[in-house]
Amino acid sequence: MTHVRLAPSILSADFACLGAQVEAALVAGAEFVHVDVMDGHFVPNITIGPLVVKAVQPIAARFGATVDVHLMIAQPERYLADFAQAGADILTIHVETCPHLHRTIQAIRELGVRPGVTLNPATPLVMLEEVLPDVDLVLVMSVNPGFGGQSYIPASTARIRRLRTMLDAIGSTADLEVDGGIKPGNAAEIAAAGATVLVAGSAVFGGPNSIAENLAAFHAALQA
Ligand code: DX5
Ligand code: ZN
């Protein structure tokens, strides 16, 4: 099976000690830092912006980890340069927020950042078809965006399989990232469907166990 990388979502971290929490996740083997940016318009929640990317970027860089920014905001093109400046390695935009998707993807690449695209659970995969050759990551939302701690939408697994087939058909090397409700109990199924990066927030930073124990549970599930 392809080496599946873990992308802890800091949305579920303790923001009173964010740096230490990010470092603990990277020490425990996470290879991405997933930053959920929400504006209270595209999604009901308001979270974090470029300042937090700027704060965590040096920690990620020390581990060679990828700063993976998920933009759940209206008109994301307004903020691409700010996030690039703050140190984003990947900027992922929602197809639902980009009427000029091809141009926005180009704008991300012109900033020297890797472009990703994502779509809400009800948005047909065909909406991505024309831009699949142009992106470095495709993110399948397995919950409705806006909050951590939600349950995985079971229909996502078939969607991941279909997207894997679409990517393979064009010889794409883009990462297939899945985001929302991912736990050690469903990680292997999602990886087997074709995911290469798994986002997990509450299953990494939440619950009674340590971040290291939570990540070890993912590694064990993926090795089984
Ligand atoms: C939801 C975010 C997800 C979320 C994942 O809108 O995009 O990244 O933080 O959190 P869990 O893993 O708890 O579902
Ligand atoms: Zn996310």
Side-chain angles (χ1 to χ4, degrees), residues 9 34-36 38 70 72 139 141 179 199:
S9 161
H34 187 80
V35 182
D36 284 312
M38 303 180 191
H70 177 191
M72 290 162 274
L139 170 56
M141 289 305 297
D179 183 3
V199 175

Side-chain angles (χ1 to χ4, degrees), residues 86-110:
D89 295 305
I90 297 173
L91 282 173
T92 298
I93 49 182
H94 272 262
V95 295
E96 301 90 354
T97 63
C98 297
H100 300 287
L101 183 60
H102 182 276
R103 187 176 71 194
T104 307
I105 290 167
Q106 271 182 325
I108 294 171
R109 220 181 264 292
E110 281 160 13

